[in-house]
Amino acid sequence: NAGVTQTPKFQVLKTGQSMTLQCAQDMNHEYMSWYRQDPGMGLRLIHYSVGAGITDQGEVPNGYNVSRSTTEDFPLRLLSAAPSQTSVYFCASSSGTSLSDTQYFGPGTRLTVL
Amino acid sequence: AQSVSQHNHHVILSEAASLELGCNYSYGGTVNLFWYVQYPGQHLQLLLKYFSGDPLVKGIKGFEAEFIKSKFSFNLRKPSVQWSDTAEYFCAVTQGGYQLIWGAGTKLIIKP
C-alpha cells in the first residue's frame, strides 16, 4: 500500500491564483481530513469527510473547498490564494468514522503564497 | 472550546536521559487523548492513545503516557531516550465527533 499520498510536495502561488492540492489513499478508508500546520501552532482542521459524497467544515474552512466523489480521493481547492494561506498542508485518513481509529498522514504540501 | 497546551516548545536532552513532555487540555468530561510523532522527513504517526481503562498507556518505541483526569493532563514519558527519538511530538484531544484539537508541538533534540 502507498498509504496516503499528497501532491505536489511544494508549491508557490501568487495572490489570487487558484489551485488544487491532491490527496489520495489506497486503504479504503472512510474518514479523510485536511489540516494546516503553522509555526508555533498545532494542526488545525480545515475540512473533513466521513465518506464519499459527505464533507463538513472544520475549524478553519474559509478560503478552501473540498469534494469527495470517490472513497480514494479528497482534493482541497484554494479558490483565490492569499498570503495568510502560506502553510504546510496535511491530509489524513482513518478506517472508521470515529477518531478512535488511528489516523494516517500524508507527507504534506508546503505552500507559499506571494 | 477545547484547547491543548504543550508547555515546552523545544527540549534538548542527552542520550539516556529521562523524558517527560507535558500536555494539558482545557475542557473536562470524557476525552480521548493522543500523542503523535513526526520524525525528520517522515509522516506524522501515532505514538499512543487513551480512550478508557488503565490511565497508564504504553505506546511504540518504549513511550508511555499517563492520563490524570484531575489535572487535565496526558504527559508523555520515556525512561531513557535515544538519538533516534529526535522528532517533533504532538498531543491531541477529542471529545468525540470528528475533530481533533492539537497542541502546538514539542521539538525534541537528543544529543548523542
Side-chain angles (χ1 to χ4, degrees):
Chain A
N1 285 351
V4 180
T5 58
Q6 290 182 238
T7 55
K9 282 195 148 181
F10 301 94
Q11 182 70 50
V12 179
L13 292 177
K14 293 182 180 177
T15 297
Q17 286 184 313
S18 62
M19 81 158 294
T20 300
L21 306 185
Q22 301 292 344
C23 174
Q25 50 89 12
D26 61 358
M27 298 173 281
N28 203 32
H29 284 174
E30 293 291 335
Y31 181 90
M32 295 185 75
S33 57
W34 276 103
Y35 291 93
R36 59 178 290 173
Q37 183 184 24
D38 300 296
M41 303 181 73
L43 277 72
R44 291 183 291 167
L45 183 66
I46 303 171
H47 286 283
Y48 64 94
S49 168
V50 299
I54 307 169
T55 63
D56 207 346
Q57 296 180 351
E59 184 185 352
V60 288
N62 292 342
Y64 307 95
N65 273 0
V66 291
S67 60
R68 184 93 180 273
S69 55
T70 67
T71 299
E72 295 77 22
D73 299 298
F74 191 44
L76 177 73
R77 280 184 290 278
L78 280 70
L79 308 172
S80 177
S84 60
Q85 293 178 304
T86 293
S87 188
V88 180
Y89 291 85
F90 290 100
C91 179
S93 73
S94 62
S95 58
T97 54
S98 164
L99 285 172
S100 62
D101 300 300
T102 300
Q103 290 200 66
Y104 295 86
F105 284 82
T109 295
R110 187 174 294 273
L111 175 68
T112 302
V113 182
L114 303 175
Chain B
Q2 181 70 268
S3 64
V4 178
S5 297
Q6 292 182 244
H7 306 292
N8 304 105
H9 294 297
H10 292 88
V11 173
I12 302 174
L13 294 173
S14 297
E15 275 195 315
S18 64
L19 169 71
E20 181 160 4
L21 300 183
C23 173
N24 288 90
Y25 59 94
S26 61
Y27 190 78
T30 303
V31 291
N32 301 321
L33 299 148
F34 305 79
W35 277 97
Y36 278 82
V37 60
Q38 187 172 26
Y39 296 102
Q42 295 189 28
H43 303 190
L44 273 160
Q45 57 185 285
L46 181 68
L47 204 52
L48 49 79
K49 60 185 178 183
Y50 171 81
F51 280 81
S52 63
D54 189 344
L56 186 61
V57 180
K58 295 197 184 298
I60 61 172
K61 304 190 180 186
F63 285 91
E64 65 179 29
E66 185 175 12
F67 170 51
I68 303 179
K69 190 172 182 179
S70 61
K71 294 186 178 180
F72 297 85
S73 71
F74 190 55
N75 292 354
L76 182 70
R77 300 196 293 246
K78 186 171 184 179
S80 177
V81 294
Q82 301 171 304
W83 177 78
S84 58
D85 293 325
T86 293
E88 190 161 15
Y89 294 81
F90 295 91
C91 181
V93 177
T94 179
Q95 291 175 247
Y98 304 117
Q99 301 203 28
L100 271 176
I101 308 300
W102 295 75
T106 298
K107 289 186 177 167
L108 174 66
I109 296 171
I110 306 300
K111 298 184 294 183

